[in-house]
Amino acid sequence: MDWAKKAEDQVSKLVSNLEIDKKDDSEEKKAGTEEADGASPAETSLMLKIIRKGLVESKLDLEVQRQDPNSPLHSVKTFEKLHLKPEILKGIYAMGFNAPSKIQETALPLLLADPPQNMIAQSQSGTGKTAAFVLAMLSRVDTKLTHPQVLCLSPTYELAIQTGEAAAKMAQFCPDIKLKFAVRGEDVEPGTKLTEHIIIGTPGKVLDWGLKFRVIDLKKIRVFVLDEADVMIATQGHHDQCIRIHKQLPAKCQMLFFSATYDKDVMEFAQHIVPEANIIRLQREEESLDNIKQYYVRCRSEDEKYQAIQNIYGSITIGQAIIFCHTRKTAGWLAGKMSSDGHSVAVLSGDLTVEQRLAVLDRFRIGLEKVLITTNVLSRGIDVEQVTIVVNFDLPMDAKGRADCETYLHRIGRTGRFGKNGIAINLIDSDKAMVICRAIEDHFKKPIKELNADNSEEIEKIGS
């Protein structure tokens, strides 16, 4: 079976087989780190890729930092202006891309420039990152050479297959470009040399093929792509494997790091190992909190928290609501209470399979449930336009019990999407929670006002 057919077959079965087979893949078992609620960052990334089947059109600003301020490179508004091979251009149009997305129009001239330029790019899932780096991968291949020239790493088998599907579609009119998966289930004969031009795989398998079996000559790689770079760098096992691979690459290899998010430490590390990188960053919508009203409600117990939710829900018009809890146990308890009181409620937590999570989200998206109770498994990147209110049943804390401002930002960013106004309610049941609330307020320099949840007139004002 050729690699393109394999990609299509794998993806068609993906949603029904999304649980990672840890028995057969010791590298992923060793490298994967679970979040407290059971959802790994790699699983979350995969879920976002599948949910966002269409392109997310963003009107937000794109921040570009270039090493060479005198570079003549500029954005493009059409794919024709990139002077691509006709076969690749035909593949782009066959994928349904009529014009470059915001990140593509800025990134592609840099990705395709000669001499090749390095890049660190950040943009939310669905904005066209994968298509951008796949186009660069295909464009750099010299089909007259019969050895691997492009290496693309993903943190999991499933994510590698997703990238392979995109590459298969874009390369469908380029029969001379050969690709191969370096993932579990794919074996090579030691002592042989791969002749495929592009290798798409996971770090452990590529490390085996490159250093143990030596079927790939890493010194001949022209383009190195790290997809989901934040997951790769922040996950200890993958981090170490990527560093070992990176050390084998030639100095002139083009380095491309793509991710939906980069925290400060990950960005600093990426800049350290990607020399003279162009940095492209699409501002996240949730980074602007101007259209989100933030409040806190003092409570003495979980029952009072629940009553506050009831009062708020009964006093203002709510499209849909997301309620964040710290633990699955609390989420389950709250869902039971709200369901018994007649609310249409869904629960999303890390103990569900990815397939089950997708089903829950689909129901919430089409409005079959009006309230979604969840843990941090949903704090990043999923847009539901009808969400008008986010409730922090428990404020987010880090492992040391301090305010987790990054998670708070992602959580309340689930409302106020697409330029609309939103409301964030924080339920405070202790002095410690109040300290965390004040720390968050100080961090973002945005007021979090007290709300009396027993005063219906006061509640009605926040909804107006």
Side-chain angles (χ1 to χ4, degrees):
M1 180 186 298
D2 64 30
W3 81 275
K5 182 65 166 64
K6 178 176 289 188
E8 292 168 1
D9 290 348
Q10 290 288 358
V11 173
S12 68
K13 295 185 288 186
L14 194 55
V15 175
S16 61
N17 294 289
L18 281 174
E19 285 302 282
I20 295 173
D21 186 357
K22 295 182 176 62
K23 293 183 293 184
D24 293 340
D25 198 350
S26 59
E27 66 153 283
E28 287 176 13
K29 185 190 295 183
K30 179 173 64 178
T33 54
E34 296 290 323
E35 293 178 6
D37 64 359
S40 75
E43 285 178 320
T44 302
S45 295
L46 177 64
M47 189 163 64
L48 295 183
K49 282 180 183 284
I50 295 172
I51 289 168
R52 289 180 164 167
K53 296 172 185 175
L55 197 64
V56 175
E57 289 298 336
S58 177
K59 298 178 181 177
L60 300 175
D61 291 335
L62 195 68
E63 176 189 341
V64 183
Q65 302 171 24
R66 292 180 184 154
Q67 294 296 319
D68 181 5
N70 299 314
S71 171
L73 298 169
H74 53 83
S75 64
V76 294
K77 299 299 181 183
T78 66
F79 287 113
E80 286 87 350
K81 289 187 178 180
L82 292 168
H83 305 296
L84 300 165
K85 296 174 184 175
E87 297 83 4
I88 295 178
L89 189 62
K90 192 175 178 182
I92 291 170
Y93 289 136
M95 292 178 73
F97 292 106
N98 296 316
S101 67
K102 180 160 284 191
I103 193 162
Q104 289 169 355
E105 68 182 39
T106 305
L108 285 171
L110 294 163
L111 290 172
L112 302 176
D114 282 314
Q117 301 196 26
N118 296 335
M119 180 178 291
I120 299 171
Q122 176 265 314
S123 181
Q124 69 187 96
S125 297
T127 51
K129 294 191 304 296
T130 301
F133 68 70
V134 166
L135 195 159
M137 288 161 52
L138 296 174
S139 297
R140 294 293 184 194
V141 168
D142 182 349
T143 55
K144 294 189 294 291
L145 303 175
T146 56
H147 62 75
Q149 302 161 46
V150 178
L151 178 59
C152 177
L153 296 183
S154 296
T156 68
Y157 171 91
E158 288 83 1
L159 285 165
I161 296 296
Q162 284 276 303
T163 300
E165 182 198 33
K169 290 178 180 176
M170 195 175 290
Q172 62 185 289
F173 303 107
C174 306
D176 293 338
I177 297 179
K178 306 299 181 184
L179 302 95
K180 187 173 182 64
F181 284 116
V183 295
R184 67 166 183 263
E186 292 291 321
D187 297 317
V188 292
E189 194 70 34
T192 61
K193 293 290 184 182
L194 296 183
T195 58
E196 289 83 2
H197 305 108
I198 297 175
I199 307 297
I200 300 171
T202 50
K205 182 67 78 170
V206 169
L207 198 60
D208 282 347
W209 286 11
L211 297 185
K212 185 177 179 181
F213 301 128
R214 299 195 178 278
V215 297
I216 302 173
D217 186 349
L218 295 174
K219 296 294 183 185
K220 293 182 179 179
I221 296 296
R222 295 179 172 186
V223 180
F224 175 62
V225 179
L226 202 62
D227 190 21
E228 306 297 339
D230 62 331
V231 178
M232 297 287 239
I233 293 170
T235 305
Q236 188 60 47
H238 286 333
H239 175 103
D240 296 342
Q241 292 163 343
C242 290
I243 290 298
R244 292 181 65 191
I245 293 168
H246 177 267
K247 286 181 178 178
Q248 301 298 316
L249 301 174
K252 292 186 178 180
C253 179
Q254 184 178 20
M255 307 281 179
L256 308 177
F257 283 26
F258 283 77
S259 185
T261 60
Y262 290 95
D263 64 28
K264 184 173 179 290
D265 291 340
V266 170
M267 177 58 81
E268 287 178 354
F269 179 81
Q271 289 179 268
H272 176 69
I273 66 171
V274 181
E276 300 180 346
N278 297 286
I279 300 173
I280 293 183
R281 181 175 177 270
L282 186 65
Q283 179 192 18
R284 290 174 298 179
E285 291 186 60
E286 62 265 32
E287 286 182 342
S288 176
L289 302 180
D290 293 341
N291 60 331
I292 301 177
K293 300 176 184 177
Q294 300 178 69
Y295 300 92
Y296 71 88
V297 178
R298 293 185 182 273
C299 308
R300 288 172 293 190
S301 65
E302 285 194 341
D303 285 323
E304 280 199 10
K305 285 184 176 183
Y306 176 66
Q307 189 57 52
I309 292 173
Q310 287 281 76
N311 293 348
I312 292 166
Y313 207 80
S315 299
I316 62 176
T317 301
I318 294 174
Q320 286 178 276
I322 299 178
I323 304 175
F324 287 97
C325 299
H326 187 61
T327 66
R328 300 175 198 167
K329 182 179 179 182
T330 301
W333 171 82
L334 181 59
K337 292 274 285 185
M338 294 195 74
S339 294
S340 65
D341 285 336
H343 296 293
S344 181
V345 176
V347 181
L348 188 77
S349 63
D351 56 352
L352 301 179
T353 66
V354 180
E355 180 188 14
Q356 290 169 331
R357 290 178 228 164
L358 287 168
V360 169
L361 282 169
D362 282 342
R363 290 177 59 83
F364 185 61
R365 277 183 178 283
I366 62 177
L368 294 178
E369 280 89 23
K370 298 297 183 184
V371 180
L372 184 62
I373 301 172
T374 182
T375 51
N376 284 338
V377 69
L378 194 65
S379 67
R380 291 175 180 261
I382 297 175
D383 301 323
V384 178
E385 189 169 355
Q386 302 91 331
V387 173
T388 55
I389 184 168
V390 167
V391 177
N392 282 312
F393 195 86
D394 302 301
L395 282 170
M397 298 181 295
D398 63 18
K400 295 182 179 179
R402 299 171 302 196
D404 186 344
C405 296
E406 179 79 3
T407 296
Y408 180 84
L409 176 68
H410 284 296
R411 282 186 180 185
I412 73 167
R414 297 312 99 216
T415 187
R417 309 298 280 176
F418 312 100
K420 297 183 177 181
N421 294 323
I423 299 169
I425 306 290
N426 302 291
L427 304 181
I428 307 297
D429 61 354
S430 67
D431 291 340
K432 181 180 180 181
M434 194 70 242
V435 169
I436 291 172
C437 183
R438 291 305 183 200
I440 291 170
E441 183 180 49
D442 182 63
H443 178 84
F444 292 109
K445 303 295 188 290
K446 299 285 184 183
I448 302 178
K449 301 176 182 178
E450 184 169 10
L451 175 68
N452 181 357
D454 294 325
N455 186 327
S456 60
E457 290 185 5
E458 190 174 329
I459 295 172
E460 286 174 10
K461 289 179 182 177
I462 74 171
S464 60

